[in-house]
Amino acid sequence: MADTKLYISYNQIHQLIDRAVKNFGLGDNYNPDLIIAIGGGGFIPARILRSFLKAKNGRNIPIQAIGLSLYEELPNAGQNGIPETPGTQVTKTQWLNFGGADTLVSLLGRKILIVDEVDDSRKTLVYAVSELQKDILKQEEQAGIAPGSSNTEIGIFVVYNKEKPKGENLSSEIMHRYYPAATTPDRWLFFPWDCTTDIEEHTELAKKSFGGNTSS
C-alpha cells in the first residue's frame, strides 16, 4: 500500500515559521507578550517562534504549556504506520495553574498567542480559546473590573492548517489574529519529533513529500 503520509522536517518547520513571522508582521502587527504552547506538538514550534520574535524585539517572551488531547490513545499511534485517530472530545491534561488552586498565571492585559503544530478539526483550538476566555473572565471579576475591559487579546499560530471542513469554528475576532504558516491537504502529517528511526531518512522523505521544496 502506498505511503500517504506527508513527512515534515525540522528545516521545513524552521523556514515556515521564519516566513510566517515576516509575512504576518508578527512582533509588529501583533506583538504577543505570552506564548501558550499546546502539548506536545506545539512545544518545538513555540520555541522556534520565540527566537524569531526575540530577533525582532530583543526580548524573550514567556512560554507556558497546556496539555490538550483530541486523539484516541491507541498503542503506538502516530508511529510505525499506525495513524492517530481523532476523537470526539477534547481532554484537558495540563493547564496554567502553578503551585496551588489560586496561583493561576495572570492573563489580564496580555497579548496571548496560542501555538500548535496543526489545525486539523479545529476542536482543540476552539477548546483552548474557550477555556482561556473563562480564565480571563474569572480574573476580571476577581480584579473588580468589567468583563471584557482588560483589553486581553488572543491570537493563534499554527504551522499547518489542513484544508478540510472544520468540526468547530473560531469567532471572527480570533480569526482576525489567526496565523497559519502553511496550508496542506487533509493527510496524515508525520512530524520529525514523531520519528523514531533514521532522522536523515525522514528528512529526505520530507523533501520528496513536497517535491523538493523544503518550505512548502
Side-chain angles (χ1 to χ4, degrees), residues 53-74:
L53 292 174
K54 182 181 180 182
K56 294 189 72 172
N57 296 322
R59 61 187 177 90
N60 273 324
I61 302 170
I63 299 176
Q64 301 292 344
I66 60 175
L68 302 176
S69 178
L70 180 63
Y71 289 92
E72 295 180 359
E73 295 296 330
L74 299 176

Side-chain angles (χ1 to χ4, degrees), residues 43-150:
F43 293 162
I44 294 175
R47 181 60 185 85
I48 296 171
L49 176 60
R50 183 172 78 163
S51 291
F52 281 113
L53 292 174
K54 182 181 180 182
K56 294 189 72 172
N57 296 322
R59 61 187 177 90
N60 273 324
I61 302 170
I63 299 176
Q64 301 292 344
I66 60 175
L68 302 176
S69 178
L70 180 63
Y71 289 92
E72 295 180 359
E73 295 296 330
L74 299 176
N76 300 318
Q79 302 178 20
N80 303 321
I82 302 173
E84 290 182 323
T85 304
T88 58
Q89 184 174 354
V90 179
T91 301
K92 184 192 292 185
T93 59
Q94 178 181 334
W95 201 248
L96 302 173
N97 218 5
F98 308 102
D102 298 320
T103 56
L104 189 68
V105 63
S106 177
L107 301 172
L108 301 188
R110 298 271 198 171
K111 292 185 183 295
I112 301 167
L113 188 61
I114 298 171
V115 178
D116 207 357
E117 88 276 37
V118 62
D119 179 1
D120 193 333
S121 68
R122 196 160 284 173
K123 290 183 179 181
T124 299
L125 294 173
V126 170
Y127 183 88
V129 169
S130 175
E131 292 300 301
L132 279 174
Q133 289 173 331
K134 291 176 186 177
D135 287 339
I136 293 165
L137 179 60
K138 180 179 178 180
Q139 289 187 10
E140 288 173 337
E141 291 174 348
Q142 291 174 340
I145 61 178
S149 64
S150 65

